[in-house]
Coordinates of all heavy atoms in Angstrom, one line a residue:
Q31 N 2.3 -29.4 5.9 CA 3.4 -29.7 5.1 C 3.9 -28.6 4.1 O 5.1 -28.3 3.8 CB 3.3 -31.0 4.3 CG 3.4 -32.3 5.1 CD 2.9 -33.5 4.5 OE1 2.3 -33.5 3.4 NE2 3.4 -34.6 4.9
E42 N -0.7 -25.8 15.9 CA -0.4 -26.4 17.2 C -1.3 -27.6 17.4 O -1.0 -28.7 17.7 CB -0.4 -25.5 18.5 CG 0.2 -26.2 19.7 CD 0.3 -25.2 20.7 OE1 0.2 -24.0 20.5 OE2 0.4 -25.7 21.9
L156 N 9.4 -2.3 21.3 CA 9.6 -3.5 20.8 C 8.3 -4.1 20.4 O 7.3 -3.9 21.2 CB 10.3 -4.5 21.8 CG 11.8 -4.2 21.9 CD1 12.3 -5.0 23.2 CD2 12.6 -4.7 20.8
L158 N 7.0 -8.0 19.7 CA 7.2 -9.4 19.5 C 6.0 -10.0 18.7 O 4.9 -9.9 19.2 CB 7.3 -10.1 21.0 CG 8.3 -9.6 21.9 CD1 8.3 -10.5 23.2 CD2 9.7 -9.5 21.3
A163 N 1.1 -13.5 12.7 CA 0.9 -12.0 12.8 C 1.6 -11.3 11.7 O 1.5 -10.1 11.6 CB 1.2 -11.5 14.2
N186 N 9.9 -17.7 1.9 CA 8.8 -16.7 1.7 C 8.2 -16.1 3.0 O 7.7 -15.1 2.9 CB 7.5 -17.7 1.1 CG 7.6 -17.5 -0.4 OD1 8.0 -16.5 -1.0 ND2 7.2 -18.6 -1.1
Q190 N 7.5 -12.3 3.9 CA 6.2 -11.7 4.6 C 6.7 -10.9 5.9 O 6.1 -9.8 6.0 CB 5.4 -13.0 5.0 CG 4.6 -13.6 3.9 CD 3.4 -12.8 3.4 OE1 3.1 -11.8 4.0 NE2 2.8 -13.2 2.3
G193 N 8.2 -7.6 4.8 CA 7.3 -6.8 4.1 C 6.5 -5.9 5.1 O 5.9 -4.9 4.6
Y256 N 16.8 -34.2 8.5 CA 17.6 -35.4 8.8 C 19.1 -35.1 9.0 O 19.8 -36.0 9.0 CB 17.3 -36.3 7.8 CG 16.0 -37.0 7.7 CD1 15.0 -36.7 6.7 CD2 15.5 -37.6 8.8 CE1 13.7 -37.2 6.7 CE2 14.2 -38.2 8.8 CZ 13.4 -37.9 7.8 OH 12.0 -38.4 7.8
P295 N 9.0 -4.9 -25.2 CA 9.4 -3.7 -25.6 C 9.3 -2.6 -24.4 O 10.0 -1.6 -24.5 CB 8.5 -3.3 -26.7 CG 7.3 -4.0 -26.5 CD 7.8 -5.3 -26.0
V346 N -10.5 27.2 10.4 CA -11.3 27.4 9.3 C -12.3 28.6 9.5 O -12.9 28.5 10.4 CB -12.1 26.1 8.8 CG1 -12.8 26.3 7.6 CG2 -11.1 24.9 8.6
Q455 N -10.1 41.0 -34.0 CA -8.9 40.1 -33.9 C -8.8 39.6 -32.5 O -8.8 40.3 -31.5 CB -7.6 40.8 -34.3 CG -7.7 41.3 -35.8 CD -7.7 40.2 -36.8 OE1 -7.0 39.1 -36.7 NE2 -8.6 40.3 -37.8
K486 N -18.0 51.3 -28.4 CA -19.5 51.3 -28.6 C -19.9 50.6 -29.9 O -20.7 49.6 -29.9 CB -20.1 52.5 -28.4 CG -21.6 52.4 -28.3 CD -22.3 53.8 -28.0 CE -23.8 53.8 -28.0 NZ -24.4 55.0 -27.7
E540 N -11.6 -25.1 -8.7 CA -12.2 -25.5 -7.5 C -13.3 -26.6 -7.6 O -13.3 -27.7 -6.9 CB -12.9 -24.3 -6.8 CG -12.0 -23.3 -6.3 CD -12.6 -22.0 -5.8 OE1 -13.9 -22.0 -5.8 OE2 -12.0 -21.0 -5.5
Q543 N -11.6 -29.9 -8.6 CA -11.0 -30.6 -7.4 C -12.1 -31.1 -6.5 O -12.0 -32.3 -5.9 CB -10.1 -29.6 -6.7 CG -9.2 -30.2 -5.6 CD -8.1 -29.2 -5.1 OE1 -8.1 -28.1 -5.4 NE2 -7.3 -29.7 -4.3
E579 N -20.5 -7.5 -15.0 CA -21.5 -6.7 -15.9 C -21.8 -5.3 -15.3 O -21.8 -4.4 -16.0 CB -22.8 -7.4 -16.1 CG -23.8 -6.9 -17.0 CD -23.2 -6.6 -18.4 OE1 -22.5 -7.6 -18.9 OE2 -23.7 -5.7 -19.1
P607 N -5.1 51.9 -24.0 CA -3.7 52.4 -23.9 C -3.6 53.8 -23.5 O -4.6 54.6 -23.6 CB -3.3 52.3 -25.4 CG -4.3 51.3 -26.1 CD -5.6 51.5 -25.3
E609 N -2.0 56.3 -24.6 CA -2.0 57.4 -25.6 C -3.3 57.8 -25.9 O -3.6 58.7 -26.6 CB -1.2 56.8 -26.8 CG -1.8 55.5 -27.5 CD -1.1 55.0 -28.7 OE1 0.0 55.6 -28.9 OE2 -1.6 54.1 -29.3

Side-chain angles (χ1 to χ4, degrees):
Q31 289 176 331
E42 188 171 348
L156 288 165
L158 305 184
N186 261 329
Q190 284 282 354
Y256 291 111
V346 181
Q455 297 297 314
K486 183 175 181 179
E540 291 173 7
Q543 192 165 6
E579 187 59 32
E609 62 182 5

